[in-house]
């Protein structure tokens, strides 16, 4: 390095030191001279400086169609928002800042409808296809009387109570009646010596109505009575007819409610 170059740098350094400081404001990009003769950029456009976000981001999860429609109406982009449905996951996803026809989007602002099963639906499906003792079966019917449609709740309660009353009896046989009911004959032991005979009539099928999801209407299902007589012990249960198909039918009605409330076609699948 020559003596001339050294002098030039010294003069430049003195000139930079002599510059008066200038006030900067948030929202801009500035170049600041450094002591070594260079410049350093400072970007003050971020939300941490301006106190404002440049665009909407985040994922919002709702539990019913009405909440989905409310949020979607507030934040949708008429030209860019997209909506997808996934019947296997029973969910609906809206990408509110998706790609427009001629302009890319960030796809970072999303709305998800994640339907949640009701407690009643979960309890009915948990016992579906299982055989349990008389007392547990009777207690289950009593706990779910509001879901019973046909026979009515009063009739089903009478059945439950009669099953309870015969807990500790020896069941001997079952007979199918012309009405379709199943009649169980039993002998009730008294003081281990004498015995009384009786019977319990139970319909072959019954109908229930249960809302599959929180905020959804109740959907009807047919349940077939199941039983087993094993060494005088009776176990009872039921088998629901296509519960998952009923859940999908309920989901289809949720989709229709959303489709009727938005002006965006619903795509079958999942967003990228």
């Amino acid at each position: 390095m020559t003596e001339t170059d050294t002098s030039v740098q010294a003069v430049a350094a003195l000139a930079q030191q002599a510059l008066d400081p200038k006030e900067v404001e948030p929202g801009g990009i500035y170049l600041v001279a450094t002591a070594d003769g260079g410049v350093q950029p400072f970007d003050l456009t971020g939300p941490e400086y301006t106190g404002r976000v440049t665009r909407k981001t985040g994922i919002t999860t709702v539990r019913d169609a009405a909440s989905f429609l409310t949020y979607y109406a507030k934040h949708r982009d008429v030209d860019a928002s997209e909506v997808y449905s996934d019947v296997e996951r029973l969910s609906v996803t809206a990408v509110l800042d998706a790609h427009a026809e001629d302009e890319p989007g960030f796809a970072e602002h999303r709305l998800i409808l994640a339907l949640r099963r009701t407690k009643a639906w979960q309890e009915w499906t948990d016992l579906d296809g299982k055989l349990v003792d008389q007392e547990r079966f009777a207690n289950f019917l009593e706990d779910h009387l509001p879901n019973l449609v046909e026979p009515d709740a009063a009739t089903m309660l009478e059945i439950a109570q009669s099953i309870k009353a015969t807990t500790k009896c020896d069941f001997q046989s079952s007979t199918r009646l012309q009405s379709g009911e199943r009649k169980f004959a039993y002998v009730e032991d008294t003081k281990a010596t004498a015995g009384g005979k009786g019977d319990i009539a139970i319909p072959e099928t019954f109908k229930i109505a249960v809302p599959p999801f929180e905020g959804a209407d109740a959907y009807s299902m047919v349940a077939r009575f199941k039983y087993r007589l094993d060494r005088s012990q009776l176990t009872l249960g039921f088998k629901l007819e296509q519960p998952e198909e009923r859940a999908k039918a309920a989901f289809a009605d949720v989709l229709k409610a959303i489709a009727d409330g938005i002006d965006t076609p619903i795509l079958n699948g999942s967003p990228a």
Side-chain angles (χ1 to χ4, degrees), residues 25-223:
E25 295 181 359
I29 299 176
Y30 300 90
L31 297 176
V32 178
T34 59
D36 60 0
V39 292
Q40 181 177 349
F42 284 89
D43 187 348
L44 303 183
T45 61
E48 65 271 27
Y49 300 107
T50 64
R52 300 186 304 272
V53 295
T54 56
R55 54 189 171 84
K56 299 175 183 178
T57 61
I59 299 175
T60 297
T61 301
V62 295
R63 298 297 182 185
D64 56 49
S67 299
F68 185 96
L69 292 173
T70 298
Y71 191 94
Y72 185 85
K74 180 179 179 181
H75 297 283
R76 78 189 189 285
D77 184 320
V78 176
D79 298 322
S81 292
E82 297 174 348
V83 181
Y84 297 82
S85 71
D86 188 333
V87 67
E88 296 303 322
R89 295 183 180 180
L90 301 177
S91 66
V92 181
T93 301
V95 183
L96 299 166
D97 58 343
H99 303 313
E101 184 174 354
D102 301 320
E103 184 178 350
F106 291 98
E108 292 183 350
H109 187 203
R110 300 191 177 205
L111 171 63
I112 297 176
L113 170 61
L115 296 171
R116 188 156 47 193
R117 304 275 188 171
T118 61
K119 180 182 178 182
W121 182 276
Q122 196 63 53
E123 289 173 344
W124 278 101
T125 53
D126 284 348
L127 200 59
D128 181 28
K130 298 177 182 177
L131 294 173
V132 297
D133 61 61
Q134 296 167 257
E135 186 171 8
R136 182 182 172 187
F137 185 77
N139 288 336
F140 181 86
L141 290 183
E142 286 187 84
D143 291 342
H144 295 82
L145 289 177
N147 304 136
L148 300 171
V149 176
E150 186 181 334
D152 56 41
T155 302
M156 295 301 289
L157 179 59
E158 183 179 354
I159 291 173
Q161 290 174 337
S162 64
I163 292 175
K164 263 189 178 179
T166 59
T167 302
K168 296 185 182 179
C169 292
D170 289 336
F171 283 85
Q172 297 180 328
S173 64
S174 69
T175 305
R176 191 171 185 174
L177 306 179
Q178 289 184 348
S179 63
E181 292 182 332
R182 179 73 63 175
K183 180 172 287 189
F184 297 97
Y186 64 88
V187 174
E188 183 177 0
D189 293 329
T190 304
K191 294 182 181 180
T193 53
K197 290 186 177 180
D199 52 44
I200 300 172
I202 297 178
E204 185 177 9
T205 63
F206 61 100
K207 186 180 294 184
I208 64 173
V210 185
F213 318 116
E214 293 179 4
D217 295 331
Y219 283 75
S220 64
M221 284 186 292
V222 173

Side-chain angles (χ1 to χ4, degrees), residues 5-15:
D5 293 335
T6 303
S7 300
V8 169
Q9 288 184 355
V11 171
L14 290 172

